[in-house]
Structures are given as C-alpha cells and as structure tokens.
Amino acid sequence: MPELDYLELTVLVEWKTEEGFIGDAAVSYLLKTGLGSMLYDVGRGPTHPALTHNAAKLGFHLDQVDAMAISHLHGDHMGGIPAQRSRQVTLPDALMSPQVKSCFLPDKAEAKGFKTERVERPQLLTAGIASTGPLARSLFRYGFTEEQALLARVKDKGLVVLTGCGHPTIEVVLEMVGRLSSEPLYAVGGGLHFPVTGGRVNRAGIQVQTMIGTGKPPWQRITDEDLSRAISTINNARPKRVYLSGHDTCDHALDRMTRELNAETEVLKAGATYRL
Ligand SMILES: [Zn+2]
Ligand SMILES: [Zn+2]
C-alpha cells in the first residue's frame, strides 16, 4: 500500500446531515487522496432523493472520481431495494459519466455503465486505497453477505479503515487489517451496525435493522453486551479517531461509543468533509 499524503472523506449520504442536506439510513462517501479519488457506496441511488440532492449541492459528479467501490450488496449501499433484488448497482442518471469507470464489488453483481471488477481477496483498488477483500458473515434472510472494508496508509498518521454496514463485525474487520499491515491504526470510520434500542428503517411497523443484517436470527436482538465487546475491540486497537455512522446505529449506541471509546469520536454528517 502506498503512503498517502492525506485522505479526505466527503459524506454524500448519511443519517445525520449538515444544514440543507437530506439525510437517509444509507451511505455514500467520496474519498480523495494525493493519488486520486474513489466513490464508496451510492446510498439508495435513484430511489431516495438524498444522493441526487446532496451531490448537486456539493457539485459532485462521477467524472470527478477514478473508480467506485461498493461495500456490500444491500440496498442502502448499492442504489435501493430494486438494485439489491436485481443485483445491479444503480445510480441516479444525473450523476452518471459517459466515461466507463471500474466498479469494485465484493460479490457477483452488475453495475450498468461501469466495468465491474469482483474483488476476491485483499487488493489495491485505486487512489492508493485497498480493499480487505470480502469478509463474509451469515446474515439472516440475506444468506451469505460479502462485505469489503477499505484500508489506506496515511503519512505521519497510520492506517485508516472504512466500513460499509460493518456486518462482518469490527472484530473481523480489524483482525484482517492486522494481518495485512503492521502499521498503527489511526482511524476507523463507517457503519458498525448497532441498532440496540431501535433501527432507522421502519417497514410496515417492523424495525428492519434490528432483525436483519445482525448476524443473529431475528428473535435475538443486538444487545448492549455486543456493543460493549465492540467498544473493547476498538479500544484495544487504539485508533486515535473514530468516525461513527448513524445510518445503522441508534442514538443510544452512538452516545455510548462517544462516551466509552478512548479515541476522539465524531458522528459523520452528509455535506461535511473530514481530513483523515
Ligand atoms: Zn448499511
Ligand atoms: Zn448492510
């Protein structure tokens, strides 16, 4: 992995937002480094106004990135439920570029207008940013969900790790990161999937996130004990900064992490840029 002068994360879609931006229980991050740029996930694509609105407000267009990577094949990351059902990464037309770019996927899927590249193992993607490779976890109803986390090495700081929903668990993600590099951990960011007191998505009165994507059967919830374990894992890995995602984690869990993590924490907001 090349040493990067900086890594800049601009949040296109998140649950929390800066003023004037639209929030959603979904994720899209724009990553810029001294070596290029990459889009990580596309939220609910054309099925929710957040990505189109926020991208327009930030002046973002696909022409500005070298490639795209999708963390995993869930609707809140690959362009909505129709995209998930058809395994076709889908972006709003307004963002598309006439130039065909690579789309790095952790599993078999298509992405219209892109050259799809399936990531089978840890590898360098683009802009000096690497993938952990697919880290599978059995998820109720979805079966075997492959998710890739991103990894970068930033000069004078250390490793930066970014997750999508964090379904493989932060334990598994950090274990893989430890195998790939002995550099100290500087920052962890993205979804950790802790809908402890409730989820962000309510479908027909059902709190979808508390039941699906937890790695447990739906009658077993994610608990405060599970969260305590994740907090110790992160504290043991000693990152200096943790950028939390509210898209799949409840306010109670965000509060606990803010209080109990030794790192400086920040909750990611759509419209904001973070220099890592
Ligand atoms: Zn998610
Ligand atoms: Zn997910």
Side-chain angles (χ1 to χ4, degrees), residues 30-71:
L30 166 63
L31 306 172
K32 284 186 199 161
T33 75
L35 297 178
S37 56
M38 179 158 74
L39 184 65
Y40 186 43
D41 289 343
V42 297
R44 286 202 274 156
T47 69
H48 189 278
L51 181 59
T52 308
H53 173 91
N54 298 348
K57 206 166 158 60
L58 289 164
F60 171 75
H61 195 269
L62 261 187
D63 282 337
Q64 296 161 16
V65 296
D66 302 313
M68 177 165 86
I70 300 296
S71 62

Side-chain angles (χ1 to χ4, degrees), residues 25-27 41 71-72 74 76-77 164-167 191 193 209 247-248:
V27 163
D41 289 343
S71 62
H72 66 303
H74 281 171
D76 55 332
H77 298 255
C165 263
H167 295 305
H193 207 86
Q209 289 173 335
H247 96 283
D248 62 351

Side-chain angles (χ1 to χ4, degrees), residues 34-236:
L35 297 178
S37 56
M38 179 158 74
L39 184 65
Y40 186 43
D41 289 343
V42 297
R44 286 202 274 156
T47 69
H48 189 278
L51 181 59
T52 308
H53 173 91
N54 298 348
K57 206 166 158 60
L58 289 164
F60 171 75
H61 195 269
L62 261 187
D63 282 337
Q64 296 161 16
V65 296
D66 302 313
M68 177 165 86
I70 300 296
S71 62
H72 66 303
L73 303 182
H74 281 171
D76 55 332
H77 298 255
M78 69 181 290
I81 294 292
Q84 181 176 333
R85 292 214 173 106
S86 60
R87 295 175 86 87
Q88 173 95 241
V89 177
T90 313
L91 280 92
D93 287 339
L95 293 191
M96 290 303 285
S97 158
Q99 218 190 324
V100 175
K101 318 237 169 186
S102 287
C103 175
F104 297 101
L105 296 159
D107 206 344
K108 194 172 154 34
E110 292 302 318
K112 212 171 136 210
F114 291 83
K115 178 173 158 272
T116 53
E117 290 188 41
R118 188 165 167 186
V119 176
E120 311 249 9
R121 57 190 67 80
Q123 69 170 79
L124 201 56
L125 302 180
T126 194
I129 300 168
S131 165
T132 57
L135 304 165
R137 188 182 188 199
S138 171
L139 297 181
F140 176 76
R141 209 184 90 168
Y142 290 145
F144 213 45
T145 299
E146 294 286 8
E147 180 169 338
Q148 57 179 339
L150 300 183
L151 184 60
R153 232 179 105 210
V154 182
K155 194 175 163 187
D156 301 328
K157 289 183 173 168
L159 296 175
V160 173
V161 178
L162 297 170
T163 63
C165 263
H167 295 305
T169 73
I170 194 64
E171 285 87 344
V172 168
V173 173
L174 292 179
E175 194 192 312
M176 178 54 93
V177 168
R179 277 189 224 168
L180 297 173
S181 173
S182 54
E183 292 255 332
L185 188 63
Y186 172 68
V188 176
L192 297 172
H193 207 86
F194 278 103
V196 179
T197 58
R200 303 294 192 194
V201 184
N202 207 310
R203 242 177 255 151
I206 295 167
Q207 299 249 317
V208 184
Q209 289 173 335
T210 62
M211 306 178 81
I212 291 167
T214 63
K216 295 186 182 192
W219 56 90
Q220 286 177 16
R221 296 306 171 87
I222 293 226
T223 63
D224 266 307
E225 290 71 59
D226 297 327
L227 178 56
S228 298
R229 257 199 316 280
I231 290 172
S232 324
T233 301
I234 296 172
N235 280 339
N236 288 337

